[in-house]
Amino acid sequence: MRPDPTWPGTLLALCGGSVALGVLVPPSYHRAVAAVALGGFCLVAGVRGVRTGRRLLGGVGIVAGCGLALAAPAVFLVGALGYGTGTTVLAGLLGLFVLPLALAPVRRGRERALLTIGTGLLVLAVAVTGVSQRASLPTLLVAIVAAVWAWDIGEGAVSLGEQVGVRARTVEVELAHGGASVAVGGVGAGAALAVHRVGATGLPLAVVVVLLVAALTLLVALYN
Amino acid sequence: MTTVRRTRRWRGVVAVALFVGAIGLFLKRPSLLLAATVGVAFAVHPRLWSTPAVSLDVAREVAPEDPRDGEAVTVTTTLCNDGEETLADLRVVDGVPPMLEVVSGTPRHTAVLRPGETTTFSYDVTARPGIHRFEPTTVLARDLSGGTEVETTVPTETTLEWLADVPATPLRAQTDPYAGDLLTDQGGAGIEFHETREYRQGDPLNRIDWRRFARTGELTTVTFREERLASVVVCVDAREPAYRTDDEETPHAVWSGFAAAEQLVTALAATPNRVGVAAIGRELCWLAPSAATDQDRRARTLLADHPTVAARRPTEEAGTESVESQVRELRQRLDATTQVLFVTPLTDAFVTETVLTLEASGHAVTVLSPDVTTTDTVGGAFGTVERAHRIASLRGAGVRVVDWDREDRVGSALVRARRRWSA
C-alpha cells in the first residue's frame, strides 16, 4: 500500500489554491496562475511517477513542472523589471534559495554540488548585471567577492562537518579561514579598482585589455 | 604515517572567474573583465601558504580512574603545539579504544594553535571491564586557504585497565600431585569425608572409626578427600570465526572472551593453583602455568601487547593450517596434568574438534562459551541450533560447558554452573 495523498483530493486542493489566488489578482495574471497550477500538477505526477518506477516519464514531469512553476514568476519579474534586472533578481533569488538547501543538507552527499549550483547562480546574476551595465564596478566587485566568499565558507563548513562533525567546536578555525579569504578577496578587488583607475585616467584601453588578458592567462596557468 | 594532499578546492573558483572573464572579453564589458581578475587573487591564495608542519604533543587524563562497570568516565585530552609555526586549521580525532562507547561530548575537536599554545577537549565513555588501549590520535592540519592538507597521527601511551572480580572458579578433577585446595576424588588426608574402608596396618590411629569398633568390633579407617593443586591454562579462541556478535550494540565474543579470561586469571592467580594463559588466532599466545605471585601481572602484560589479542578481526584469512599448527603447539606445551579452560563462542566445528582432541589426550577441558547467537533472522536461528548441538555433543563427551549469556557477569554464570555440577 502506498501512503501517498489520494488523487481527487490533490487535484481539488490545487484547484482550490488556484481559485483563491485567481480571484485576488488582476485578470492579466490569470494565465500566470494557471501556469503555476499546471506546473504544480506536473510536479506531483512526476514525483509519483519516479517513485513507482516510471523514471523517464516522471523525470520529464518534474522538469516540466518546475519549469512551468518558475516560468510565471520569471516572466513576471522580467516584464516588470526589464530583462537585465529581472534575470539578475531571478537567478540571484534562486541561488540564494539553493544555498540553505545545500547546507541543511537537504540531501546528504550532494552538499557540495548544491553549494556550487547556488553560488553559481549568484555569479550568473553578477555576470548578467555586468553585461547589462546597470551597476558600477565597485558594486560588481563586492558582489563577486561576496559570492566567492560564501562558497568558500560553505565548502569549509561541509568539509569540517565531514571530518569533525557538527558537535565539535569549530568557531575559531572557521573565522580564521573566513577572515583570510575576505582579506584575499579585498586585495583582489582593490587591485581591480586600481587597474580601473589607471585605465580611466590615462592608458589606452587596448593596453589595459592586454594587461587584463595577461592576468587571465596567469589564472589559467595557476589552475591547479 | 604522514600524508600530504592538495585539496584542489579553489579550482572551481578559478574556472568560474575565467568564465566570467571570457564573457566580459567577448561582450566587451571591461567591468566584468575586471571583476573576473579578482579570481587571480583567489588563485594565488593557496600558493601563499607553506605546507603545515605538524608537531604536537598529546596528553590525556581519565577520571575516575577506577570506575564501576557501566559508569561514565570523562576523558580529557590536551594538545600542545610543539612546533614553531602556527597551525591555523587543526582538526583532531582522538583514538578512542574500539570497545568503548562515547556517550556524551565528542572525541573530535578543532583549534587554531600558535606555537606553544594548548587546547583541551573532553568527552565521556562508558566503562567496560577489560584492558583498553587508546589508538594514535588522528590529526588533520590545513593551511589558511584550505588548499593543502596534512594528515598524520600522534602516538599515545594511554591504557586503561578495568578488571572485575570473579568468585571462585570451578575446576575439574584433574590435578597435579601437590597439596592444594582442589577437592579430589582420591582418598587420603584431607577435610571432606570420602569413604570408610577396612583397617590396614599403618593407618593413623586418629583415623579409626572408634564408634563402629565400639558397636560392632570391626576396625575401619575413615579417609578424606585429598586436596591437591591444579594446573590450569585459560585459552581464548581468537580466530576469525569467533569475531561474532549478536547485535550491533554489544561487543564481539573475542572481546568478551578476553575480558572474561583476564578476570579468571586474576581469580585463579589468587589461589595456590598454577594458572597460565593461551590464545589461538593470528598466532599462538602462550604464558606457561605458574603459581608465581606476579603471574597475574605477567598475564595482563602479555594480553595488552600480543597481536592475537585484537579488538579488530583479522583481515587476511589465517588459513586452517596455521591454526592447526597453533593447536599442535599448544598441545605440545601443555603438561600431562594441565586442565584447560577454553573460552570460545562455539561458532564453528573446528573448535569443537579441538576441544574433543584436548579432552581425549588427557587434558580435562571446561568450556566457557559466550552466547552470540540470535534468533532474529533465519540464519541466526540456524546458528543457535548448531551451537546447541555442539554444546550437547561436548557435554556428551564429558566436557563441562558453561553456556554464558552475556547479560550476566562471568562470575554469576560460573557460580550457577558449579552449583549444577555439584548437585
Side-chain angles (χ1 to χ4, degrees):
Chain A
M1 187 207 89
R2 258 188 327 137
D4 288 343
T6 52
W7 280 111
T10 312
L11 292 175
L12 288 174
L14 289 177
C15 288
S18 314
V19 166
L21 187 57
V23 295
L24 290 174
V25 296
S28 52
Y29 290 102
H30 284 170
R31 265 189 308 176
V33 171
V36 173
L38 187 61
F41 173 74
C42 287
L43 189 62
V44 168
V47 166
R48 294 202 187 167
V50 166
R51 287 226 182 100
T52 51
R54 298 194 195 86
R55 303 192 108 212
L56 185 60
L57 220 53
V60 166
I62 292 179
V63 168
C66 288
L68 269 174
L70 288 175
V75 168
F76 170 73
L77 274 172
V78 167
L81 301 171
Y83 278 107
T85 319
T87 322
T88 304
V89 169
L90 190 63
L93 283 178
L94 207 59
L96 197 56
F97 177 60
V98 170
L99 276 189
L101 292 183
L103 296 170
V106 145
R107 192 66 180 214
R108 228 169 264 291
R110 298 267 182 265
E111 300 100 335
R112 285 194 177 86
L114 284 174
L115 195 59
T116 310
I117 292 174
T119 44
L121 284 167
L122 288 170
V123 168
L124 185 66
V126 171
V128 169
T129 311
V131 168
S132 67
Q133 293 181 311
R134 280 174 189 271
S136 62
L137 181 62
T139 314
L140 281 181
L141 289 174
V142 168
I144 206 168
V145 168
V148 171
W149 186 78
W151 175 87
D152 179 37
I153 282 255
E155 202 274 343
V158 170
S159 131
L160 268 174
E162 283 170 352
Q163 289 180 345
V164 163
V166 69
R167 297 174 63 191
R169 189 182 162 81
T170 53
V171 162
E172 292 102 357
V173 159
E174 296 194 79
L175 286 178
H177 179 88
S181 295
V182 150
V184 165
V187 163
L193 274 173
V195 172
H196 177 72
R197 290 273 163 70
V198 164
T201 50
L203 289 174
L205 183 64
V207 175
V208 177
V209 168
V210 165
L211 272 177
L212 292 175
V213 169
L216 287 179
T217 316
L218 179 63
L219 258 183
V220 173
L222 288 173
Y223 180 80
N224 173 14
Chain B
M1 215 201 61
T2 307
T3 323
V4 179
R5 43 174 167 263
R6 305 226 174 274
T7 57
R8 295 202 162 92
R9 63 195 294 269
W10 289 101
R11 267 188 152 175
V13 169
V14 174
V16 165
L18 280 171
F19 175 66
V20 172
I23 295 181
L25 200 57
F26 288 120
L27 295 179
K28 299 201 184 67
R29 300 282 188 268
S31 53
L32 263 190
L33 201 52
L34 281 169
T37 58
V38 167
V40 175
F42 283 117
V44 169
H45 186 32
R47 287 160 189 267
L48 289 175
W49 314 104
S50 56
T51 311
V54 178
S55 173
L56 288 173
D57 198 35
V58 173
R60 221 176 263 122
E61 272 172 27
V62 175
E65 286 199 8
D66 212 358
R68 290 188 313 274
D69 186 8
E71 199 182 329
V73 175
T74 308
V75 180
T76 307
T77 308
T78 308
L79 288 141
C80 178
N81 185 0
D82 271 348
E84 285 160 4
E85 287 182 14
T86 305
L87 292 169
D89 187 341
L90 191 66
R91 302 150 191 219
V92 183
V93 181
D94 212 7
V96 183
M99 287 301 147
L100 289 181
E101 190 193 339
V102 175
V103 289
S104 115
T106 168
R108 296 169 188 248
H109 187 61
T110 65
V112 178
L113 283 185
R114 283 187 295 272
E117 217 183 317
T118 61
T119 179
T120 308
F121 60 102
S122 62
Y123 51 96
D124 287 352
V125 294
T126 313
R128 278 215 159 107
I131 296 186
H132 306 281
R133 309 190 95 198
F134 274 82
E135 301 187 332
T137 307
T138 308
V139 166
L140 294 127
R142 287 190 175 194
D143 60 19
L144 209 44
S145 73
T148 313
E149 184 175 80
V150 176
E151 182 175 345
T152 184
T153 54
V154 183
T156 79
E157 296 291 320
T158 317
T159 307
L160 304 171
E161 288 183 20
W162 293 325
L163 302 171
D165 287 327
V166 153
T169 318
L171 296 173
R172 282 183 62 185
Q174 183 174 32
T175 58
D176 292 341
Y178 302 110
D181 65 358
L182 184 66
L183 289 175
T184 62
D185 286 332
Q186 283 146 316
I191 309 177
E192 199 179 295
F193 175 75
H194 183 229
E195 62 169 7
T196 335
R197 58 171 172 74
E198 228 185 69
Y199 173 77
R200 287 192 209 131
Q201 214 171 32
D203 281 347
L205 287 175
N206 60 356
R207 288 276 155 75
I208 296 177
D209 191 349
W210 294 113
R211 286 214 193 88
R212 186 182 279 222
F213 181 63
R215 253 199 335 265
T216 62
E218 279 172 38
L219 271 178
T220 51
T221 304
V222 177
T223 59
F224 300 88
R225 295 175 75 182
E226 275 191 2
E227 293 174 328
R228 291 253 185 99
L229 259 187
S231 171
V232 189
V233 166
V234 179
C235 182
V236 181
D237 177 8
R239 302 163 307 127
E240 203 278 332
Y243 280 87
R244 301 285 185 269
T245 182
D246 46 358
D247 91 70
E248 280 180 14
E249 308 279 310
T250 330
H252 49 60
V254 174
W255 182 86
S256 300
F258 278 117
E262 279 158 24
Q263 296 169 44
L264 289 167
V265 168
T266 309
L268 285 168
T271 66
N273 299 300
R274 301 193 303 148
V275 62
V277 173
I280 50 173
R282 287 177 171 90
E283 25 176 285
L284 178 67
C285 171
W286 171 260
L287 178 67
S290 151
T293 40
D294 63 345
Q295 184 71 342
D296 188 20
R297 188 189 56 77
R298 265 193 258 161
R300 273 195 255 159
T301 316
L302 177 69
L303 292 177
D305 279 321
H306 204 273
T308 306
V309 184
R312 301 216 165 85
R313 61 159 139 186
T315 42
E316 335 92 37
E317 276 292 312
T320 24
E321 248 207 55
S322 107
V323 177
E324 275 172 15
S325 67
Q326 288 173 41
V327 171
R328 262 197 305 269
E329 199 185 329
L330 177 69
R331 283 176 57 197
Q332 276 168 7
R333 294 192 188 200
L334 286 172
D335 280 340
T337 53
T338 305
Q339 51 179 295
V340 177
L341 224 162
F342 213 104
V343 187
T344 170
L346 291 174
T347 44
D348 71 336
F350 180 83
V351 69
T352 334
E353 286 165 27
T354 309
V355 168
L356 290 171
T357 315
L358 284 170
E359 178 81 17
S361 46
H363 306 288
V365 182
T366 307
V367 172
L368 171 65
S369 181
D371 187 359
V372 293
T373 57
T374 165
T375 47
D376 284 346
T377 65
V378 173
F382 187 64
T384 312
V385 169
E386 277 191 325
R387 181 171 173 272
H389 176 69
R390 286 182 198 123
I391 293 180
S393 62
L394 285 176
R395 283 181 177 154
V399 174
R400 279 187 183 162
V401 180
V402 181
D403 189 357
W404 172 32
D405 177 355
R406 293 185 301 163
E407 300 204 359
D408 296 332
R409 288 164 203 277
V410 180
S412 329
L414 289 173
V415 164
R416 250 181 281 127
R418 193 184 205 186
R419 244 182 263 140
R420 214 180 46 238
W421 295 329
S422 46

